[in-house]
Amino acid sequence: MRVLVVEDELKVANFIKKGLLENNFTVDIAPDGEEGLFLAQNENYDLIVLDLLLPKLDGLELLKKLRKEGKDTPVICLTAKGGISDKIEGFNAGTDDYLVKPFRFAELLARIRAILKRSKRTPEGAELKYAGLILNRHTRHAERNGRIIILTSKEYSILELLMLNKEQVVTRTMITETAWDYNFDLMSNVVDVHIRRLREKIDRREKKSLIHTVRGMGYVLKETSI
Ligand code: CA
């Protein structure tokens, strides 16, 4: 995940960068609005952390320009001002969230993760479908041949990944990167445990299995085994 931090206060910029690097993000810093706009226009970021009071080009102006050009990169605005009118102005300009300084890094990280989760869902539509299996990305429930299946959040993440990559091998690394954070112990068998439970829910009582193990590689969602 690649994040652009547009912030002129070096101390704040470095504090955010350090925290994000520790959480396996890639980070670029722009020290003023003009450079921030240039990078946001020309690079592909998953998210932008945008301070509002910036030299050269104001944060709100940057955001308006970006949205006018049709760039829909998610944005979290940072500001020392916490007034309700500023918030409304920010949301009107197209920000996804708002954080008032000073803030704790954990708070920023939680909001970044929430936005990334939301934004990942939108371009693909509300439902993923494959061979009688439907995954509703709003309710986070699955349905197979009319049977509603309630999923835990980990099961949901794994199934979503499998459906987005249907008929292709999804490696264990892809699964752990999607469903767990960096503290995850790669040696543990927790992925297998979740796959087993997911399989129970999806394939049990069905004639055809959809989730298959690909020996030494990972898993695949497919109507017939490969
Ligand atoms: Ca500033």
Side-chain angles (χ1 to χ4, degrees):
M1 288 289 171
R2 206 165 164 220
V3 176
L4 172 64
V5 179
V6 190
E7 169 62 89
D8 58 315
E9 284 170 75
L10 201 62
K11 230 176 98 184
V12 180
N14 285 333
F15 158 75
I16 296 171
K17 182 173 182 173
K18 183 172 166 282
L20 288 175
L21 290 177
E22 283 169 3
N23 285 279
N24 292 346
F25 287 87
T26 309
V27 184
D28 288 337
I29 292 179
D32 63 64
E34 274 179 10
E35 191 172 334
L37 180 63
F38 178 81
L39 286 173
Q41 286 168 329
N42 294 287
E43 302 288 328
N44 278 317
Y45 294 102
D46 296 294
L47 187 130
I48 300 168
V49 177
L50 178 65
D51 186 33
L52 287 187
L53 288 173
L54 290 168
K56 295 188 185 173
L57 180 69
D58 181 57
L60 271 183
E61 288 307 311
L62 188 166
L63 182 57
K64 283 178 192 162
K65 283 192 175 167
L66 207 59
R67 293 297 186 241
K68 217 173 158 185
E69 290 166 14
K71 270 262 183 187
D72 61 354
T73 315
V75 170
I76 296 181
C77 285
L78 300 180
T79 182
K81 303 182 283 181
I84 187 76
S85 61
D86 296 321
K87 287 191 185 181
I88 290 168
E89 204 184 340
F91 282 115
N92 283 340
T95 188
D96 296 81
D97 206 349
Y98 217 97
L99 204 53
V100 177
K101 289 176 178 176
F103 55 87
R104 292 185 311 123
F105 181 75
E107 170 86 36
L108 176 65
L109 185 64
R111 288 176 188 231
I112 287 176
R113 287 191 168 145
I115 285 176
L116 290 177
K117 222 172 225 178
R118 279 207 304 267
S119 67
K120 213 169 63 181
R121 246 184 279 169
T122 41
E124 315 285 341
E127 283 185 341
L128 296 174
K129 293 180 187 176
Y130 180 76
L133 180 65
I134 300 168
L135 185 65
N136 188 309
R137 302 171 108 189
H138 293 318
T139 63
R140 304 194 139 217
H141 292 169
E143 196 182 320
R144 186 161 181 201
N145 300 327
R147 175 172 58 94
I148 302 285
I149 302 159
I150 310 290
L151 302 166
T152 66
S153 69
K154 292 274 186 278
E155 289 163 358
Y156 172 85
S157 301
I158 295 170
L159 185 59
E160 184 185 45
L161 186 66
L162 286 168
M163 291 189 80
L164 286 170
N165 296 279
K166 61 191 174 210
E167 298 184 354
Q168 296 168 62
V169 175
V170 170
T171 64
R172 295 164 58 90
T173 309
M174 285 166 76
I175 293 173
T176 53
E177 279 175 3
T178 305
W180 279 270
D181 68 17
Y182 71 108
N183 286 315
F184 181 75
D185 176 8
L186 269 174
M187 299 305 284
S188 76
N189 68 343
V190 68
V191 172
D192 307 79
V193 172
H194 281 87
I195 286 277
R196 202 180 308 143
R197 285 196 201 136
L198 187 58
R199 216 174 233 160
E200 271 276 299
K201 293 184 177 180
I202 302 296
D203 288 337
R204 187 187 46 174
R205 287 185 273 153
E206 301 285 344
K207 279 184 197 133
K208 277 186 187 170
S209 293
L210 291 180
I211 300 170
H212 306 278
T213 304
V214 186
R215 252 170 198 272
M217 291 180 76
Y219 303 94
V220 66
L221 185 79
K222 207 169 189 290
E223 263 197 294
T224 50
S225 78
I226 55 169

